[in-house]
């Protein structure tokens, strides 16, 4: 110790604290100890000795005391108690002790009490205790549940002594417990955001850029900021502030925080925070343009040291570029006109050329870098929508993308690093941040329809990886009834990829053993899925894919297991047969054929699948001798005959007639009982009425 009480004196004080016979002796020793504590003269060992001497009991008594020594300020004892607790909190183990955590309301009360010159040390000690608590594992959760967030917000809003420390603590809390903070204390946090955003607009000096750095912490992903009145006001202020910044000539150190703030607003509100009209459209185009330029400057000639510093801002730029992609795709209510869309698409294409260039340089040891994931994610968003540009470059990158997606899927990713990917953690669930393959599926769906990229994907082992991924995603969906919508969407997209492969590479389906495992899963999944009406689109995908694969794999062992195969075909017949019904025709007194009510909302998504499924079912009839019997058991022939008899012929379009005829002809050829059922239900008459010449011919044969 450099000054203050000597080591011997302090040692004596500790002995007195340990052996004191009464409060007055202990208090005298405490006064000397707290003087040393406040002077910052004690090392960690001595501070621990103080705790060992007095524990929590005596500070607790001091905090609860409402008396003061003669001639001393009213809060003298409480101030001593706080000083001792602040001393204890320098030990991380003690800072997380329940005795300290239980004092969070006390610390909060101190921050909100009137502060005079004599009580500033109490405020300092309270802030020190809260800062120490925040750094402990249990601390953030305890601070939220015990009301520290609202206290810190009010302390900052009051602007009294130490209010900037309140803001610092709030930033720390939001960094580790954002969702819980907003769930519990949204009104108070919105008040702070409102104050900061007003300061942001008014500031004309370096403060404006300092606020750019901290404001993103106060922009929540949930609840939706734009839906809260105070939030809407803040959004307007933030837009004005950003418009003034980005419309000026800026240095890089000024531009980077502004881009990160804009990205935070995009994550929270999409493009809704940008006003409609010419001014807003120019601002959006400027934002995306700046982001693209930043990406090109950083990634086209990457400098290792500069890259390390720029990854966070480039990730923010990716968020802005993704907004640009979405705005360019909007058919209605887009902020951009056609000329702006074309210009931005060209600019974004150049930026994605830089992203591809960067990813081609990535080394094996860099694959767990969150920035690599962010780059793959934004490229996946581009590939999902823009299929004509950078085709050569993306084909050359496909081996890397398959390898990267396979590595993350097989290893489960590194949750610790990937969940930190700035701006790119899904609001559904942070676990999705590990899932690169999910992000690439839409692009792969486009690419498997084209010869060269499909050949590359096959040669890199993508089909086996995609089959494994389907099995994994199905397990998630079937074991967790309320699982994420993204899981169902991934399964639908995978079905689209497999349908492309079935049509363009049937030999691959026959030769790859993994497709037999996929077929087995399809057989079992459709009967489980179909009764759940809210999964109709996925059921349609699985039914059609299963039928298409069954044509190719009809002789495989998996389809010889007649139990699961029969259940699958039974479910498929149910799906196909219930798609249409008869309903009143407004244009006549008769009935018209229409899509069934249960199918109407999904029909745009499943119409083509239904027709493809009908073709595939017709092809399966000759391959599975027991299939006609399954149709008979379902009484589909009777129901279809009745339907076609009741409705007006004009209400059934040619494509639908062809689909029905394809299945009916194969059933009549393969099964005499089926032919007899059709005949007994006036089949020849309605076959003639609808121009089903092939069916008429089949029925007329003796």
């Amino acid at each position: 110790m450099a000054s203050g009480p000597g080591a011997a004196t302090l040692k004596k004080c500790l002995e007195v604290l340990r052996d004191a016979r009464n409060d007055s002796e202990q208090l005298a020793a405490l006064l000397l100890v707290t003087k040393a504590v406040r002077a910052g003269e004690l090392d960690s060992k001595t501070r621990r000795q103080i705790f060992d001497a007095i524990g929590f009991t005596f500070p607790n008594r001091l905090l609860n005391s409402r008396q003061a020594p003669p001639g001393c300020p009213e809060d003298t004892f409480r101030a001593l108690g706080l000083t001792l607790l602040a001393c204890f909190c320098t030990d991380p183990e003690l800072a997380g002790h329940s005795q300290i955590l239980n004092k969070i309301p006390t610390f909060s009360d101190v921050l909100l009490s009137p502060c005079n010159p004599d009580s500033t040390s109490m405020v300092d000690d309270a802030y020190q205790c809260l800062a120490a608590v925040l750094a402990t594992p249990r601390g953030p959760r305890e601070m939220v549940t015990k009301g520290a967030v609202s206290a810190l917000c009010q302390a900052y809003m009051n602007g009294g002594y130490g209010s900037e420390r309140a803001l610092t603590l709030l930033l720390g809390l939001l960094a580790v417990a954002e969702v819980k903070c907003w769930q519990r204390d949204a009104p108070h946090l919105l008040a702070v955001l409102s104050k900061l955003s007003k300061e942001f607009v008014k500031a004309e000096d370096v403060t404006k850029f300092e606020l750019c750095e901290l404001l993103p912490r106060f922009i929540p992903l949930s609840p939706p900021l734009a839906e809260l009145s105070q939030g809407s006001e803040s959004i307007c202020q933030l837009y004005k502030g950003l418009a003034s910044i980005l419309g000026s000539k800026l240095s890089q150190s000024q531009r980077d925080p502004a881009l990160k703030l804009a990205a935070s607003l995009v994550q929270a509100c999409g493009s809704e925070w940008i006003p409609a009209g010419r001014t807003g459209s120019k601002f959006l185009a400027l934002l995306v343009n700046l982001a693209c330029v930043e990406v090109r400057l950083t990634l086209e000639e990457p400098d290792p040291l500069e890259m390390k510093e720029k990854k966070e801002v480039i990730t923010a730029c990716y968020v802005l570029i993704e907004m640009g992609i979405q705005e360019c795709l909007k058919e209605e209510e887009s902020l951009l006109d056609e000329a702006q869309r074309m210009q931005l698409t060209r600019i974004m294409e150049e930026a994605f050329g830089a992203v591809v260039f960067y990813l081609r340089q990535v080394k094996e040891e860099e694959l767990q870098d969150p920035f690599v994931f962010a780059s793959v994610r934004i490229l996946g968003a581009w590939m999902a929508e823009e299929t004509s540009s950078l085709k050569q470059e993306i084909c050359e990158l496909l081996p890397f993308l398959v390898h990267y997606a396979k590595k993350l899927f097989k290893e489960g990713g590194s949750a610790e690093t990937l969940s930190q990917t700035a701006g790119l953690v899904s609001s559904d669930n942070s676990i999705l941040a590990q899932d690169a393959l999910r992000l690439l599926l839409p692009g792969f769906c486009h690419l498997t329809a084209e010869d060269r990229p499909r050949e590359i994907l096959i040669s890199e082992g993508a089909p086996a990886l995609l089959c494994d991924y389907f099995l994994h995603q199905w397990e998630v969906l079937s074991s967790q009834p309320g699982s994420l919508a993204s899981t169902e969407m991934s399964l639908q997209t995978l079905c689209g990829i497999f349908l492309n492969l079935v049509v363009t590479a049937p030999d691959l389906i026959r030769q790859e053993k993994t497709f037999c495992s996929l077929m087995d899963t399809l057989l079992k999944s459709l009967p489980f899925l179909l009764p759940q009406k809210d999964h109709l689109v996925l059921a349609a995908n699985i039914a059609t894919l299963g039928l298409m694969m069954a044509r190719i794999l009809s002789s495989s062992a998996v389809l010889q297991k007649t139990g699961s195969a029969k259940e699958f075909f039974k479910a498929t017949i149910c799906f196909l047969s219930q798609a249409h019904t008869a309903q009143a025709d407004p244009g006549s007194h008769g009935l018209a054929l229409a899509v069934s009510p249960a199918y109407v909302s999904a029909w745009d998504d499943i119409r083509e699948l239904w027709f493809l499924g009908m073709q595939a079912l017709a092809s399966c009839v000759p391959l599975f001798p027991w299939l006609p019997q399954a149709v008979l058991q379902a009484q589909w022939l009777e129901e279809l005959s009745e339907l076609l008899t009741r409705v007006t012929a004009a209400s059934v379009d040619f494509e639908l007639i062809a689909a029905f005829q394809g299945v009916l002809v194969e059933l009549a050829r393969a099964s005499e009982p089926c032919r007899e059922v059709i005949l007994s239900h006036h089949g020849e008459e309605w076959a003639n009425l609808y121009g089903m010449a092939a069916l008429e011919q089949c029925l007329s044969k003796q």
Side-chain angles (χ1 to χ4, degrees), residues 389-407:
S389 69
L390 300 174
K391 195 167 289 184
Q392 173 70 23
E393 292 87 343
I394 286 173
C395 279
E396 291 170 1
L397 187 66
L398 280 177
F400 166 81
L401 293 176
V402 173
H403 173 68
Y404 179 70
K406 184 184 296 184
K407 184 177 179 65

Side-chain angles (χ1 to χ4, degrees), residues 152-386:
L152 290 168
C153 288
Q154 291 174 71
Y156 176 70
M157 295 296 291
N158 293 342
Y161 177 77
S163 60
E164 290 303 315
R165 294 175 72 179
L167 185 63
T168 302
L169 283 172
L170 278 173
L171 289 167
L173 256 179
L174 288 166
V176 294
E178 177 185 309
V179 174
K180 286 185 172 64
C181 288
W182 279 95
Q183 284 173 344
R184 187 177 177 94
D185 291 294
H188 292 105
L189 289 166
L190 281 171
V192 174
L193 174 60
S194 178
K195 180 178 179 179
L196 293 172
S197 56
K198 287 172 184 172
E199 290 176 11
F200 178 56
V201 172
K202 291 176 186 174
E204 296 294 339
D205 55 11
V206 69
T207 307
K208 205 176 194 76
F209 301 101
E210 291 171 352
L211 286 166
C212 269
E213 293 278 11
L214 64 87
L215 271 164
R217 280 286 173 216
F218 286 92
I219 299 172
L221 294 179
S222 179
L225 199 56
E227 294 178 12
L228 306 164
S229 59
Q230 205 169 1
S232 298
E233 293 169 17
S234 297
I235 287 172
C236 292
Q237 300 289 338
L238 294 172
Y239 165 74
K240 289 176 186 175
L242 278 171
S244 70
I245 288 178
L246 294 172
S248 310
K249 190 172 183 180
L250 300 171
S251 67
Q252 184 170 307
S253 63
Q254 294 170 326
R255 184 172 57 250
D256 288 358
L259 290 172
K260 286 191 274 189
L261 175 56
S264 296
L265 284 164
V266 170
Q267 282 188 287
C269 313
S271 60
E272 291 177 21
W273 62 283
I274 302 172
R278 181 167 174 76
T279 305
S281 68
K282 286 178 67 177
F283 176 75
L284 187 145
L286 172 65
L287 258 186
V288 179
N289 206 329
L290 287 171
C292 289
V293 169
E294 200 66 38
V295 167
R296 290 190 64 190
L297 287 173
T298 305
L299 299 186
E300 283 181 348
E301 297 180 13
D303 174 89
L305 290 176
E306 185 186 352
M307 270 291 295
K308 193 171 183 180
E309 296 171 1
K310 295 285 287 182
K311 284 178 179 178
E312 192 176 340
V313 72
I314 296 301
T315 303
C317 289
Y318 288 164
V319 174
L320 299 173
I321 292 171
E322 187 166 5
M323 174 185 65
I325 294 172
Q326 291 165 354
E327 282 298 315
C328 287
L329 288 169
K330 279 185 183 176
E331 295 180 5
E332 297 177 5
E333 298 183 7
S334 174
L335 293 169
L336 304 169
D337 61 31
E338 192 57 36
Q340 287 172 317
R341 290 186 202 194
M342 291 178 65
Q343 183 184 19
L344 274 188
T345 300
R346 285 196 301 271
I347 293 167
M348 288 191 291
E349 183 174 338
E350 292 169 354
F352 280 106
V355 174
V356 171
F357 177 79
Y358 160 72
L359 288 173
R360 292 189 68 187
Q361 320 302 313
V362 171
K363 300 179 177 65
E364 184 72 22
E365 60 269 22
E366 298 172 321
L367 292 183
Q368 290 292 351
D369 185 344
F371 183 69
V372 175
F373 181 87
S375 302
V376 170
R377 182 192 189 282
I378 190 64
L379 183 62
W382 176 257
M383 289 165 58
E385 308 299 347
E386 181 52 62

Side-chain angles (χ1 to χ4, degrees), residues 530-605:
L530 197 61
Q532 305 172 41
K533 297 303 181 185
D534 51 339
H535 295 300
L536 186 60
V537 176
L538 179 57
N541 276 275
I542 287 176
T544 305
L545 175 62
L547 288 168
M548 295 287 284
M549 286 180 61
R551 298 186 313 171
I552 299 171
L553 299 174
S554 59
S555 60
S556 67
V558 68
L559 280 161
Q560 300 308 313
K561 295 176 184 174
T562 53
S564 57
K566 283 183 177 179
E567 286 300 312
F568 169 80
F569 277 99
K570 180 180 175 183
T572 302
I573 292 164
C574 178
F575 163 68
L576 294 172
S577 67
Q578 294 179 4
H580 296 88
T581 188
Q583 68 178 32
D585 184 2
S588 71
H589 297 297
L591 295 172
L593 188 135
V595 175
S596 298
Y599 287 62
V600 168
S601 61
W603 191 246
D604 287 346
D605 295 317

